[in-house]
Amino acid sequence: STGVAMWQPEQQRVIRITRNNGEPLQDYITSIAEDRDGNIWLGTGGSGLLVIEPSAEAVPTLKAINTAPLTSILGLLNDSQNRLWLDTPAGLYQFDYQQYLQRQIQTTGAVDSAAHPAVLSKVTFANSSLNEDFGANLLEDEQGNIWTAKFLFHTASGQLYPLTPADGVDIGTPWYRAYYKTRDGLLLFGGSSGLLVINPQKFSRWQYQPHILLSELKIEGKPRQIVPDQQAVTLQADERSFSVEFSAMDLSAPGQLQYRYQLQGFDKDWQYSDASQRIASYTNLWPGKYNLQLQATNRAGKWSEHQTGLALTVMPAFWQQWWFALLLVLSLIMAVYLLVKVRTRVAQLQAKQLSRLVEERSQQLKLAQQSLLENEKMAALGQTVAGVAHEINTPVGVSITASSALAGRLAELKQHFDAKTLSSKAFSQFIADSEQHLQLINYNLQRAADLVTQFKQLAVNEAATDNVTIKLKPWLQHLVARINPSNAAVSIILQCPDNLTLQLRASALATVLSHLLENALLHAFEPADRGEITIEVQVKAKQLLLKVADNGKGIDESIQDIVFNPFVTTRRASHSKGLGLHLCYNLVTQVLHGSIEMETTPGKGTEFRLLLPLTPDSKR
């Protein structure tokens, strides 16, 4: 309990072996094992694993091996393959010393073997798990299997087999360090009740295949008479639950048996239970035929080849008979039919009522629409008449004023002529005044005539513009040359594909483009400004796209939304009438059957986009 010592026969004395730091070991030794390399391994109660490596020194030292979190080693075994096995309160472990040394060389400082599963690994078993000690007294047989008085570990298959009194193992409490392997391969283990001798070559594991017997049957919670080998049970219509208690005929270790059962026709998989829950219970079973299968393991954990079956028949109630289900389906179909019939009738009546209501509302809507159109027409006519009256009133009023003044002067001249007081000077003055008034009258009447001509243009006559075939690029070049000379301050740039021949109403398009170009020249630039107007032509999906864009000052925000209305202008003082864009809109939409849009940015310019349909005869 106070460490480990070495006997020196030459000096006839015992020398205590200390740790490599010179301190003595203050712990008891639980087990000792020597490997092929001469290393002596020591298992301790609280200091973990220690090793005494071969040394030329007279007194070797103890080297601590880091096996954290394991601190208590109950048993050690170095097997025939030079593998070191450690038995601990947490299970069986295997330690690889060569891996330990390699990691010690690769790293600096202490090695934490717990962080490397390749160095210290817990043994896992194929058929169970172990979270207790393996039995401390580890011995290896000739086949490489590991034994204690509690367990047998078959290393080749990974199977763990517990040793119980059913196997003949009954030595009371096994004593630690009371074990030995003889030269004949017998394994000896001492205990409080005697000595256990195991011959591994003659030992065979438990192979018994138990049958299952039925011990109790309950239906609706009430016991029902049953024989152990009963094969069939019938539940009446008012009986919907049953339970069966069963037991396997392996009495060597009944607490270690495992069970499973399956009610075929109800369960998809096996239901598992242990020796403490040997009851299969089912409720709310639907009428029909079922088959309950039961199976158990022996105490070694191997499933028995024998299965016990119980045929179960559940009788149906009247409402679970096929004729009742058929009657219910027919009743449901009839109810659905009547419901659909009633709903259809109601829907038809509602549809007729709704149709009458829709017709009444449609008539009212038509009357309201007609009234609205009439009001819009009268408002538009009133606006147009007011605009026409306003535009014509000025030149006509000036003409009337001038003619009135001329008539007054003529009356004065006649009065002097009748009184024979007419002088040559007065006559000359009359002639000068007459010429001035006649010029004023002639100018304003001509202005009124021009207004009337433009008003006539607003009344678009589609029949007056026929389709003609033109080569678009030369036609546009001629139109641009007629409107803007080549040496003007504002240049007009034409971007049009060559050899583009179209059939369209050329006169209407010429009027539209002329107004757009004249408006840009008049309104987009100040007299001293220089700028550009671009005409771009594209043909897309049987449509002609024309863009007329300038880089002038743009259109004022106050009239952007009403720019296509009649009499909208920002230069009325310079005799602009505000009819050009309105005329363009009418020609594009009514004669050319296209659309016109405007996009403007104050200070950057304005762009008009004309989208016109092409006739089937139009071609490139």
Side-chain angles (χ1 to χ4, degrees):
S1 61
T2 57
V4 61
M6 181 179 70
W7 167 254
Q8 290 184 332
E10 295 82 1
Q11 288 80 13
Q12 292 293 306
R13 62 174 181 171
V14 176
I15 299 176
R16 190 172 185 180
I17 300 177
T18 62
R19 294 175 180 266
N20 50 11
N21 57 5
E23 296 182 0
L25 174 64
Q26 300 295 331
D27 201 352
Y28 62 89
I29 305 300
T30 61
S31 55
I32 300 176
E34 183 178 5
D35 62 19
R36 295 177 184 176
D37 301 320
N39 298 310
I40 299 176
W41 297 92
L42 305 178
T44 66
S47 301
L49 184 65
L50 302 174
V51 63
I52 302 176
E53 295 178 336
S55 174
E57 300 292 334
V59 180
T61 58
L62 291 172
K63 178 180 179 182
I65 303 298
N66 188 359
T67 57
L70 302 177
T71 58
S72 177
I73 308 297
L74 303 178
L76 290 175
L77 170 66
N78 191 78
D79 65 9
S80 56
Q81 299 182 34
N82 204 29
R83 296 177 299 185
L84 185 63
W85 301 84
L86 287 69
D87 187 21
T88 72
L92 187 63
Y93 285 79
Q94 190 174 6
F95 181 76
D96 191 330
Y97 188 49
Q98 297 302 322
Q99 286 281 350
Y100 180 88
L101 293 177
Q102 291 179 8
R103 294 186 182 278
Q104 192 175 37
I105 294 173
Q106 295 171 0
T107 58
T108 58
V111 177
D112 184 7
S113 61
H116 304 287
V119 174
L120 180 66
S121 59
K122 186 175 182 179
V123 178
T124 57
F125 305 101
N127 60 334
S128 63
S129 59
L130 182 66
N131 294 314
E132 59 179 277
D133 67 274
F134 190 76
N137 302 328
L138 306 178
L139 289 176
E140 181 187 16
D141 63 16
E142 301 302 326
Q143 287 75 37
N145 301 320
I146 299 177
W147 296 75
T148 66
K150 294 174 62 176
F151 296 101
L152 163 62
F153 175 38
H154 191 271
T155 56
S157 63
Q159 298 283 331
L160 179 67
Y161 183 77
L163 300 177
T164 66
D167 298 298
V169 179
D170 189 9
I171 59 173
T173 302
W175 288 341
Y176 283 177
R177 296 171 293 281
Y179 64 103
Y180 184 72
K181 179 180 179 182
T182 69
R183 296 178 181 178
D184 298 333
L186 299 180
L187 308 180
L188 308 181
F189 298 95
S192 61
S193 299
L195 178 65
L196 172 64
V197 180
I198 299 177
N199 187 346
Q201 296 181 355
K202 296 183 178 181
F203 180 83
S204 62
R205 290 181 290 179
W206 188 255
Q207 300 294 330
Y208 177 67
Q209 303 289 325
H211 291 264
I212 289 184
L213 297 181
L214 305 180
S215 57
E216 186 180 38
L217 170 65
K218 288 184 179 181
I219 297 178
E220 294 293 329
K222 299 178 181 179
R224 185 74 59 87
Q225 184 177 3
I226 188 174
V227 295
D229 57 348
Q230 185 165 338
Q231 297 181 353
V233 172
T234 300
L235 301 184
Q236 299 303 318
D238 58 344
E239 298 173 341
R240 287 292 177 268
S241 65
F242 83 101
S243 62
V244 174
E245 185 178 16
F246 45 84
S247 179
M249 296 294 97
D250 186 351
L251 304 181
S252 61
Q256 298 181 13
L257 305 185
Q258 299 293 319
Y259 296 87
R260 65 182 181 182
Y261 57 89
Q262 181 182 27
L263 185 60
Q264 296 175 353
F266 183 83
D267 290 327
K268 294 182 178 180
D269 300 309
W270 286 98
Q271 308 299 315
Y272 292 85
S273 63
D274 55 20
S276 64
Q277 296 290 334
R278 295 176 291 103
I279 296 178
S281 179
Y282 293 90
T283 59
N284 298 324
L285 293 176
W286 191 255
K289 294 184 180 297
Y290 303 89
N291 187 19
L292 179 63
Q293 294 292 321
L294 301 104
Q295 192 177 16
T297 67
N298 58 17
R299 62 181 173 82
K302 183 177 180 181
W303 289 104
S304 173
E305 298 177 354
H306 307 293
Q307 292 188 12
T308 299
L310 179 64
L312 178 67
T313 302
V314 181
M315 301 302 294
F318 76 92
W319 52 271
Q320 294 174 323
Q321 300 281 358
W322 66 268
W323 54 265
F324 184 84
L326 179 61
L327 181 61
L328 185 63
V329 171
L330 292 177
S331 301
L332 182 60
I333 293 175
M334 182 60 68
V336 172
Y337 173 77
L338 293 176
L339 179 61
V340 171
K341 192 80 173 177
V342 172
R343 292 294 300 272
T344 302
R345 181 60 179 168
V346 172
Q348 290 175 349
L349 294 177
Q350 291 178 346
K352 290 181 180 180
Q353 184 178 2
L354 182 61
S355 178
R356 289 195 298 269
L357 183 61
V358 169
E359 186 175 356
E360 292 175 2
R361 293 293 187 267
S362 299
Q363 293 297 331
Q364 294 176 2
L365 183 60
K366 288 181 181 179
L367 294 176
Q369 187 177 10
Q370 291 176 358
S371 176
L372 182 60
L373 290 175
E374 291 297 331
N375 292 337
E376 290 181 351
K377 289 180 180 179
M378 293 302 296
L381 179 61
Q383 182 182 5
T384 303
V385 170
V388 170
H390 175 74
E391 293 295 332
I392 295 181
N393 181 62
T394 299
V396 171
V398 172
S399 299
I400 292 174
T401 302
S403 63
S404 298
L406 182 59
R409 293 290 295 158
L410 182 61
E412 291 179 4
L413 179 64
K414 182 178 179 183
Q415 185 178 2
H416 285 292
F417 181 77
D418 292 340
K420 300 188 181 295
T421 59
L422 179 63
S423 64
S424 60
K425 181 178 179 181
F427 186 74
S428 297
Q429 183 63 37
F430 172 76
I431 292 174
D433 292 341
S434 297
E435 288 179 350
Q436 183 178 2
H437 285 90
L438 287 174
Q439 289 177 357
L440 187 60
I441 291 171
N442 182 60
Y443 172 76
N444 283 279
L445 290 178
Q446 184 62 42
R447 184 179 170 193
D450 293 340
L451 285 171
V452 171
T453 300
Q454 291 189 1
F455 294 150
K456 288 173 65 179
Q457 291 179 349
L458 293 180
V460 176
N461 185 1
E462 185 174 349
T465 57
D466 297 329
N467 281 339
V468 296
T469 301
I470 61 172
K471 291 184 177 180
L472 188 59
K473 187 170 184 178
W475 183 83
L476 289 175
Q477 289 174 340
H478 177 72
L479 178 66
V480 170
R482 180 166 54 85
I483 293 176
N484 193 40
S486 59
N487 59 351
V490 178
S491 59
I492 299 177
I493 301 173
L494 178 61
Q495 299 176 0
C496 178
D498 297 330
N499 303 322
L500 181 59
T501 302
L502 302 175
Q503 188 178 40
L504 45 75
R505 301 181 189 274
S507 60
L509 181 59
T511 303
V512 172
L513 294 177
S514 297
H515 277 285
L516 293 178
L517 294 174
E518 290 173 356
N519 271 0
L521 292 171
L522 178 62
H523 297 284
F525 304 97
E526 296 297 333
D529 291 346
R530 302 186 66 85
E532 291 182 353
I533 301 174
T534 303
I535 302 176
E536 182 181 352
V537 179
Q538 299 179 13
V539 177
K540 294 182 177 180
K542 296 183 180 181
Q543 288 184 320
L544 179 65
L545 175 63
L546 292 99
K547 296 181 182 180
V548 180
D550 63 71
N551 59 353
K553 60 184 179 180
I555 298 177
D556 190 82
E557 293 182 359
S558 61
I559 64 170
Q560 289 182 8
D561 296 334
I562 58 173
V563 71
F564 292 113
N565 291 353
F567 308 112
V568 176
T569 181
T570 57
R571 290 197 174 187
R572 196 171 299 279
S574 60
H575 303 294
S576 294
K577 307 171 186 61
L579 296 174
L581 290 181
H582 181 63
L583 176 60
C584 292
Y585 182 83
N586 288 345
L587 289 174
V588 171
T589 57
Q590 300 180 28
V591 176
L592 299 174
H593 305 292
S595 63
I596 181 171
E597 296 178 352
M598 182 271 297
E599 183 178 346
T600 182
T601 303
K604 293 185 178 180
T606 304
E607 179 180 275
F608 288 90
R609 291 186 293 273
L610 283 72
L611 191 62
L612 308 176
L614 297 177
T615 63
D617 297 333
S618 298
K619 60 181 181 179
R620 292 185 180 274

